Amino acid sequence: MVKLQTHQGHLQVAGCDVPELAAKYGTPFYLVNQNLIEDRCKEIHADFLAKYPGSRAAYASKAFLCLEMCRIIAQQGLGLDVVSGGELFTAVQAGFPMERVIFHGNNKTDQEIAMAVDHQVGRVVVDNMYELERLQAEAGRQDRKMDILFRITPGVDSHTHKFISTGQLDSKFGIPTDPEHLRDYMDKVMTMTNLRLLGFHFHVGSQLHANDSHLKAVEILAGIIQRVKEEHGFITEELNVGGGYGIYYTDEDEPEPLSYFTDGIMETLHKECASRGLNVPAVTIEPGRWVIGEAGMTIYTIGSIKEVPGIRTYAAVDGGMPDNPRPSLYDAKYDAVIANKMDAPRDAVATIAGKCCESGDILIWDLPVPQLAPGDTLAVRSTGAYNFAMASNYNRLPRPGVVMVKNGLDRLVVRPQSYQDMLSTEI
Amino acid sequence: MVKLQTHQGHLQVAGCDVPELAAKYGTPFYLVNQNLIEDRCKEIHADFLAKYPGSRAAYASKAFLCLEMCRIIAQQGLGLDVVSGGELFTAVQAGFPMERVIFHGNNKTDQEIAMAVDHQVGRVVVDNMYELERLQAEAGRQDRKMDILFRITPGVDSHTHKFISTGQLDSKFGIPTDPEHLRDYMDKVMTMTNLRLLGFHFHVGSQLHANDSHLKAVEILAGIIQRVKEEHGFITEELNVGGGYGIYYTDEDEPEPLSYFTDGIMETLHKECASRGLNVPAVTIEPGRWVIGEAGMTIYTIGSIKEVPGIRTYAAVDGGMPDNPRPSLYDAKYDAVIANKMDAPRDAVATIAGKCCESGDILIWDLPVPQLAPGDTLAVRSTGAYNFAMASNYNRLPRPGVVMVKNGLDRLVVRPQSYQDMLSTEI
């Protein structure tokens, strides 16, 4: 949990005054703290990459992506996990080093496969046989040799919300772990002259505060690494353990440091490999939310305030479900503060409603707040991940812009959509 | 329920061959049947507007809006219900007659209020006191007289999914029905020289197959109409009863004709007004989903097909949650057909997965299908409402285009986004 900074009753982020930013840029907007992103990247270097030589980390860009984010991640020396042609296109436009790109997806289109080969991305994580065959064909056509991993579904239930629990056996993702299935893939890939299998990938879930799913999956994967060595003589060079490292949203979250996950993973992997007589593969992690989540806030202005007598007070903001669908999608919980009343006691309670014509458009139920007035500046915390990335134009609300702050300086990195922008594809 | 047309095993919509459209435009795209939209508008005219002189109907544009849809609705002689500056801007750009526009919203911004006054929209539905005061101030500033309705929260529970049930008392929308609350609004509006109150609006929920919520709300409103007559000498000229008329999604839905709702509403209103000695106000309805929902389909191509042994077969399409978030948001159910295999027996079962890196990205669980192969064309039914309108660029998937079909002719009315489009606001 990041401690909030204040000055004379105003919320400060990276040395910038939030109510002043609200006045300067107009609300709503996404506020991103570049200092915090860089702190997280430093933690990855110090506590994982430096500690385990040969290991790699790729930022999972589906959490939040724009050209500037690509540049920051490139500067910070991390790789980039992309899941679509659109994410890859963004990386290309930003000049991101392609050898550090990892390409994911359960249903890559022909066009996406061609794009991945054309740009010779660092790794393609192959999800299924249909993709494997098309990737080989396309790599052959372009006369390229592509490095790949197989995505494995280890069958681990991570006990999170069902929508963000992706390691279970009944999954649209990856290759089941049963010997027959995997044997087909191994036999096939060994014959493919344009593909070089380096190892395996798994992802066990999201927003986890315990490492048991990761450790269990590592054990399962160690068994697979042993099996493919014995059956196919295949030496696994790389193991990509995905992401899922939880962050702070509300006081119900007690996030662990990254090293709690990575040290646990490495310890289990070393132990499992030692007991099975295996070389220890190089490990890659793919944090997304963990890098960007707490670095983001959404800044709104309070508008209508409505007391339903004896029931509840609603305070409505100038955004909502279109810029943050997570409360509606996952019943996700958020904390928020009144950025211009940081010193006032939180002696009132308000439910923060969005402005959509949809009764489910509630951002936060029963939030402790100071006495509110229209015009107050609301800052919703931990919106860096899966907010801008999931934003829609529902109710034809334009998507807010992104203001990046660092060391007391602010800059607009994505401008807000205009009404005209929303008509740009109309004929 | 609209019966599907086929020809030589191919799905036909408005006389157009769907697999041919898929080849022509590339998938995914939204396919909209203009003939069906016009049929629905004709039904509104015949079964409601012609039957009840003075009544009005406004299409709730939040369900699906583009310039061409505005033009169709204008041609069909209906009004337009808008809920934001963005929707109003679209209507203005399409040349929609402003006197037929009804402006809604629980938290209209100053800019939106100024826009509504500037364009002199037909009705502003006032949600709360803060808005009432700003609307009067703005109308005064622009020296305009604006016609308004008050949105009333009748406290009716429509037993639908909580996210789309909007008439309950604990609501972010509207003015509570208790006498004291409403008295404040009536006293206030009587003094406002730039606003002319014409009556009241309510909305009891969405996707309803029973009219009891509407009828109950009409009874409650009749009591309010009587009360404001007695207490304030106010004669209610208009009653806007919103929308909520259910459509066909799957065989679990048994939608009623529009007249089941509107005749019931009119009968109850006449009875209530007669027994209370009131003039019967003119009634406005606001169907959105009912007009556009069944007219829309989403056309995808099947990609990877994966059998999880003993559990389930997943067939992935080239779209998903970003173009249709309703299964994730509301657990919404859809039916779909294989547009190029309409004559084949549906003797297999597949779960239709999207291509997002999100395990919740499942469009349809366990759908009866013919034997599937990559390249098959999937048509998901009843996606006209709240699909294009709620689409996001999650995973940086470009938003699909909209193909309109009528009398055997097809035309692109919204082109698909390009990768470059998604970067258009980047700095």
Side-chain angles (χ1 to χ4, degrees), chain B residues 209-232:
Chain B
H209 293 318
N211 66 9
D212 53 329
S213 294
H214 284 92
L215 304 193
K216 183 70 193 161
V218 167
E219 285 177 30
I220 292 167
L221 266 290
I224 287 174
I225 290 168
Q226 180 176 14
R227 197 199 313 147
V228 294
K229 183 185 172 194
E230 291 168 357
E231 292 193 11
H232 306 274

mmCIF file of all heavy atoms in Angstrom, chain B residues 209-232:
data_model
loop_
_atom_site.group_PDB
_atom_site.id
_atom_site.type_symbol
_atom_site.label_atom_id
_atom_site.label_comp_id
_atom_site.label_asym_id
_atom_site.label_seq_id
_atom_site.Cartn_x
_atom_site.Cartn_y
_atom_site.Cartn_z
ATOM 1 N N HIS B 209 -40.374 -9.190 -19.221
ATOM 2 C CA HIS B 209 -41.362 -9.967 -19.964
ATOM 3 C C HIS B 209 -42.738 -9.882 -19.295
ATOM 4 O O HIS B 209 -43.685 -10.552 -19.719
ATOM 5 C CB HIS B 209 -40.922 -11.426 -20.088
ATOM 6 C CG HIS B 209 -39.707 -11.613 -20.940
ATOM 7 N ND1 HIS B 209 -39.512 -10.944 -22.131
ATOM 8 C CD2 HIS B 209 -38.601 -12.374 -20.764
ATOM 9 C CE1 HIS B 209 -38.356 -11.298 -22.659
ATOM 10 N NE2 HIS B 209 -37.786 -12.157 -21.847
ATOM 11 N N ALA B 210 -42.840 -9.121 -18.233
ATOM 12 C CA ALA B 210 -44.137 -8.920 -17.556
ATOM 13 C C ALA B 210 -44.347 -7.420 -17.392
ATOM 14 O O ALA B 210 -43.379 -6.670 -17.248
ATOM 15 C CB ALA B 210 -44.139 -9.606 -16.192
ATOM 16 N N ASN B 211 -45.625 -7.001 -17.413
ATOM 17 C CA ASN B 211 -45.900 -5.563 -17.358
ATOM 18 C C ASN B 211 -46.279 -5.068 -15.974
ATOM 19 O O ASN B 211 -46.651 -3.910 -15.804
ATOM 20 C CB ASN B 211 -46.982 -5.188 -18.389
ATOM 21 C CG ASN B 211 -48.351 -5.795 -18.058
ATOM 22 O OD1 ASN B 211 -48.541 -6.353 -16.968
ATOM 23 N ND2 ASN B 211 -49.292 -5.691 -18.989
ATOM 24 N N ASP B 212 -46.190 -5.929 -14.964
ATOM 25 C CA ASP B 212 -46.680 -5.533 -13.642
ATOM 26 C C ASP B 212 -45.905 -4.363 -13.042
ATOM 27 O O ASP B 212 -46.477 -3.516 -12.356
ATOM 28 C CB ASP B 212 -46.701 -6.740 -12.688
ATOM 29 C CG ASP B 212 -45.361 -7.455 -12.623
ATOM 30 O OD1 ASP B 212 -44.639 -7.456 -13.651
ATOM 31 O OD2 ASP B 212 -45.030 -8.011 -11.573
ATOM 32 N N SER B 213 -44.591 -4.290 -13.326
ATOM 33 C CA SER B 213 -43.820 -3.154 -12.797
ATOM 34 C C SER B 213 -44.297 -1.849 -13.424
ATOM 35 O O SER B 213 -44.430 -0.837 -12.723
ATOM 36 C CB SER B 213 -42.330 -3.341 -13.084
ATOM 37 O OG SER B 213 -41.828 -4.443 -12.379
ATOM 38 N N HIS B 214 -44.506 -1.880 -14.720
ATOM 39 C CA HIS B 214 -45.009 -0.670 -15.377
ATOM 40 C C HIS B 214 -46.375 -0.262 -14.816
ATOM 41 O O HIS B 214 -46.614 0.911 -14.523
ATOM 42 C CB HIS B 214 -45.140 -0.899 -16.891
ATOM 43 C CG HIS B 214 -43.828 -0.885 -17.630
ATOM 44 N ND1 HIS B 214 -43.100 -2.023 -17.860
ATOM 45 C CD2 HIS B 214 -43.120 0.144 -18.181
ATOM 46 C CE1 HIS B 214 -41.993 -1.706 -18.527
ATOM 47 N NE2 HIS B 214 -41.976 -0.410 -18.736
ATOM 48 N N LEU B 215 -47.261 -1.246 -14.660
ATOM 49 C CA LEU B 215 -48.620 -0.923 -14.197
ATOM 50 C C LEU B 215 -48.602 -0.377 -12.770
ATOM 51 O O LEU B 215 -49.291 0.582 -12.446
ATOM 52 C CB LEU B 215 -49.526 -2.157 -14.299
ATOM 53 C CG LEU B 215 -49.618 -2.814 -15.687
ATOM 54 C CD1 LEU B 215 -50.775 -3.809 -15.734
ATOM 55 C CD2 LEU B 215 -49.738 -1.788 -16.805
ATOM 56 N N LYS B 216 -47.765 -1.002 -11.947
ATOM 57 C CA LYS B 216 -47.651 -0.531 -10.565
ATOM 58 C C LYS B 216 -47.118 0.903 -10.549
ATOM 59 O O LYS B 216 -47.605 1.758 -9.787
ATOM 60 C CB LYS B 216 -46.709 -1.466 -9.794
ATOM 61 C CG LYS B 216 -46.566 -1.133 -8.322
ATOM 62 C CD LYS B 216 -47.844 -1.450 -7.570
ATOM 63 C CE LYS B 216 -47.827 -0.839 -6.170
ATOM 64 N NZ LYS B 216 -49.175 -0.748 -5.594
ATOM 65 N N ALA B 217 -46.125 1.165 -11.381
ATOM 66 C CA ALA B 217 -45.551 2.511 -11.431
ATOM 67 C C ALA B 217 -46.569 3.530 -11.935
ATOM 68 O O ALA B 217 -46.621 4.660 -11.432
ATOM 69 C CB ALA B 217 -44.307 2.520 -12.318
ATOM 70 N N VAL B 218 -47.398 3.134 -12.896
ATOM 71 C CA VAL B 218 -48.436 4.047 -13.384
ATOM 72 C C VAL B 218 -49.404 4.400 -12.252
ATOM 73 O O VAL B 218 -49.789 5.562 -12.081
ATOM 74 C CB VAL B 218 -49.183 3.431 -14.590
ATOM 75 C CG1 VAL B 218 -50.455 4.220 -14.904
ATOM 76 C CG2 VAL B 218 -48.279 3.388 -15.813
ATOM 77 N N GLU B 219 -49.769 3.409 -11.448
ATOM 78 C CA GLU B 219 -50.640 3.680 -10.296
ATOM 79 C C GLU B 219 -50.000 4.688 -9.346
ATOM 80 O O GLU B 219 -50.639 5.631 -8.880
ATOM 81 C CB GLU B 219 -50.902 2.392 -9.502
ATOM 82 C CG GLU B 219 -51.872 1.418 -10.143
ATOM 83 C CD GLU B 219 -51.993 0.139 -9.311
ATOM 84 O OE1 GLU B 219 -51.828 0.212 -8.060
ATOM 85 O OE2 GLU B 219 -52.224 -0.912 -9.913
ATOM 86 N N ILE B 220 -48.711 4.462 -9.072
ATOM 87 C CA ILE B 220 -48.005 5.365 -8.152
ATOM 88 C C ILE B 220 -47.949 6.768 -8.745
ATOM 89 O O ILE B 220 -48.181 7.768 -8.046
ATOM 90 C CB ILE B 220 -46.593 4.816 -7.857
ATOM 91 C CG1 ILE B 220 -46.710 3.530 -7.029
ATOM 92 C CG2 ILE B 220 -45.733 5.853 -7.147
ATOM 93 C CD1 ILE B 220 -45.419 2.726 -6.932
ATOM 94 N N LEU B 221 -47.670 6.832 -10.038
ATOM 95 C CA LEU B 221 -47.580 8.139 -10.689
ATOM 96 C C LEU B 221 -48.937 8.834 -10.714
ATOM 97 O O LEU B 221 -49.017 10.063 -10.582
ATOM 98 C CB LEU B 221 -47.007 7.997 -12.091
ATOM 99 C CG LEU B 221 -45.489 8.201 -12.239
ATOM 100 C CD1 LEU B 221 -45.112 9.672 -12.021
ATOM 101 C CD2 LEU B 221 -44.687 7.324 -11.291
ATOM 102 N N ALA B 222 -50.013 8.057 -10.879
ATOM 103 C CA ALA B 222 -51.347 8.670 -10.867
ATOM 104 C C ALA B 222 -51.590 9.360 -9.526
ATOM 105 O O ALA B 222 -52.151 10.460 -9.462
ATOM 106 C CB ALA B 222 -52.411 7.618 -11.150
ATOM 107 N N GLY B 223 -51.134 8.718 -8.472
ATOM 108 C CA GLY B 223 -51.252 9.334 -7.148
ATOM 109 C C GLY B 223 -50.459 10.630 -7.067
ATOM 110 O O GLY B 223 -50.904 11.621 -6.466
ATOM 111 N N ILE B 224 -49.306 10.641 -7.677
ATOM 112 C CA ILE B 224 -48.476 11.854 -7.674
ATOM 113 C C ILE B 224 -49.135 12.944 -8.519
ATOM 114 O O ILE B 224 -49.159 14.120 -8.128
ATOM 115 C CB ILE B 224 -47.062 11.512 -8.184
ATOM 116 C CG1 ILE B 224 -46.323 10.717 -7.099
ATOM 117 C CG2 ILE B 224 -46.295 12.772 -8.569
ATOM 118 C CD1 ILE B 224 -44.982 10.186 -7.511
ATOM 119 N N ILE B 225 -49.676 12.540 -9.652
ATOM 120 C CA ILE B 225 -50.341 13.505 -10.532
ATOM 121 C C ILE B 225 -51.521 14.155 -9.789
ATOM 122 O O ILE B 225 -51.752 15.357 -9.883
ATOM 123 C CB ILE B 225 -50.800 12.800 -11.831
ATOM 124 C CG1 ILE B 225 -49.573 12.429 -12.675
ATOM 125 C CG2 ILE B 225 -51.769 13.670 -12.628
ATOM 126 C CD1 ILE B 225 -49.858 11.488 -13.839
ATOM 127 N N GLN B 226 -52.229 13.313 -9.027
ATOM 128 C CA GLN B 226 -53.340 13.846 -8.239
ATOM 129 C C GLN B 226 -52.829 14.795 -7.147
ATOM 130 O O GLN B 226 -53.362 15.887 -6.939
ATOM 131 C CB GLN B 226 -54.106 12.682 -7.602
ATOM 132 C CG GLN B 226 -55.294 13.128 -6.759
ATOM 133 C CD GLN B 226 -56.072 11.930 -6.220
ATOM 134 O OE1 GLN B 226 -55.610 10.792 -6.250
ATOM 135 N NE2 GLN B 226 -57.271 12.210 -5.723
ATOM 136 N N ARG B 227 -51.765 14.384 -6.494
ATOM 137 C CA ARG B 227 -51.239 15.174 -5.387
ATOM 138 C C ARG B 227 -50.761 16.549 -5.860
ATOM 139 O O ARG B 227 -51.039 17.573 -5.251
ATOM 140 C CB ARG B 227 -50.107 14.409 -4.687
ATOM 141 C CG ARG B 227 -49.793 14.956 -3.318
ATOM 142 C CD ARG B 227 -48.425 14.545 -2.777
ATOM 143 N NE ARG B 227 -48.135 13.132 -2.911
ATOM 144 C CZ ARG B 227 -46.912 12.659 -3.113
ATOM 145 N NH1 ARG B 227 -45.868 13.491 -3.205
ATOM 146 N NH2 ARG B 227 -46.696 11.376 -3.233
ATOM 147 N N VAL B 228 -50.008 16.572 -6.982
ATOM 148 C CA VAL B 228 -49.483 17.868 -7.448
ATOM 149 C C VAL B 228 -50.612 18.749 -7.990
ATOM 150 O O VAL B 228 -50.503 19.979 -7.980
ATOM 151 C CB VAL B 228 -48.365 17.717 -8.510
ATOM 152 C CG1 VAL B 228 -47.139 17.055 -7.893
ATOM 153 C CG2 VAL B 228 -48.848 16.953 -9.736
ATOM 154 N N LYS B 229 -51.697 18.114 -8.423
ATOM 155 C CA LYS B 229 -52.865 18.923 -8.840
ATOM 156 C C LYS B 229 -53.501 19.573 -7.616
ATOM 157 O O LYS B 229 -53.773 20.774 -7.595
ATOM 158 C CB LYS B 229 -53.881 18.029 -9.559
ATOM 159 C CG LYS B 229 -55.087 18.791 -10.094
ATOM 160 C CD LYS B 229 -56.121 17.832 -10.688
ATOM 161 C CE LYS B 229 -57.413 18.585 -11.049
ATOM 162 N NZ LYS B 229 -58.521 17.666 -11.311
ATOM 163 N N GLU B 230 -53.680 18.746 -6.585
ATOM 164 C CA GLU B 230 -54.342 19.265 -5.381
ATOM 165 C C GLU B 230 -53.467 20.267 -4.640
ATOM 166 O O GLU B 230 -53.925 21.304 -4.200
ATOM 167 C CB GLU B 230 -54.714 18.099 -4.455
ATOM 168 C CG GLU B 230 -55.827 17.228 -5.038
ATOM 169 C CD GLU B 230 -56.012 15.918 -4.290
ATOM 170 O OE1 GLU B 230 -55.234 15.652 -3.341
ATOM 171 O OE2 GLU B 230 -56.926 15.155 -4.672
ATOM 172 N N GLU B 231 -52.178 19.937 -4.521
ATOM 173 C CA GLU B 231 -51.306 20.787 -3.703
ATOM 174 C C GLU B 231 -50.792 22.008 -4.450
ATOM 175 O O GLU B 231 -50.514 23.037 -3.838
ATOM 176 C CB GLU B 231 -50.108 19.979 -3.182
ATOM 177 C CG GLU B 231 -50.495 18.923 -2.165
ATOM 178 C CD GLU B 231 -49.275 18.356 -1.439
ATOM 179 O OE1 GLU B 231 -48.172 18.924 -1.577
ATOM 180 O OE2 GLU B 231 -49.447 17.339 -0.746
ATOM 181 N N HIS B 232 -50.567 21.841 -5.745
ATOM 182 C CA HIS B 232 -49.899 22.920 -6.493
ATOM 183 C C HIS B 232 -50.733 23.426 -7.660
ATOM 184 O O HIS B 232 -50.294 24.317 -8.383
ATOM 185 C CB HIS B 232 -48.550 22.428 -7.021
ATOM 186 C CG HIS B 232 -47.656 21.863 -5.962
ATOM 187 N ND1 HIS B 232 -46.813 22.647 -5.205
ATOM 188 C CD2 HIS B 232 -47.512 20.587 -5.503
ATOM 189 C CE1 HIS B 232 -46.163 21.868 -4.340
ATOM 190 N NE2 HIS B 232 -46.567 20.620 -4.496
#
